[in-house]
Amino acid sequence: DKQEDRTNLTGYRVFINDNELLGSVTEIISNPGQFLLNIMSVNKKEILIPLHEDFIMNINDTEKFIVMDIPEGLIDLN
């Protein structure tokens, strides 16, 4: 499972929708059945996003960023 080795993403910047900066990962929360990315958004709101391989388009470990394709409405749930 690819998620298991992805608990080292703290501090990574998260981009969505063609390079829009969503925020930075502050922690990885281990929930039963899935991990959640706790992201501090650019406007200082906490956003919880499931760490799911379907949402991850790219992870750049050199420059420490993640590009995600987050389903419509998921960010608004926070």
Side-chain angles (χ1 to χ4, degrees):
D1 190 11
K2 281 193 251 181
Q3 291 183 8
E4 297 300 329
D5 60 6
R6 279 295 168 196
T7 53
N8 60 339
L9 297 173
T10 304
Y12 279 52
R13 291 167 297 143
V14 178
F15 291 92
I16 55 169
N17 305 335
D18 298 324
N19 297 327
E20 177 189 340
L21 178 61
L22 181 62
S24 295
V25 177
T26 56
E27 67 177 325
I28 308 282
I29 299 168
S30 179
N31 264 12
Q34 72 176 355
F35 288 97
L36 295 172
L37 291 175
N38 189 357
I39 299 167
M40 181 59 70
S41 75
V42 289
N43 49 8
K44 303 296 181 220
K45 285 176 56 181
E46 282 195 343
I47 301 171
L48 295 175
I49 300 290
L51 180 57
H52 193 282
E53 62 187 37
D54 290 350
F55 300 166
I56 297 172
M57 309 309 289
N58 182 31
I59 296 179
N60 184 316
D61 292 313
T62 307
E63 297 183 33
K64 295 201 180 304
F65 68 82
I66 308 166
V67 179
M68 299 187 80
D69 182 15
I70 300 170
E72 194 71 37
L74 187 59
I75 293 171
D76 301 330
L77 293 177
N78 288 273

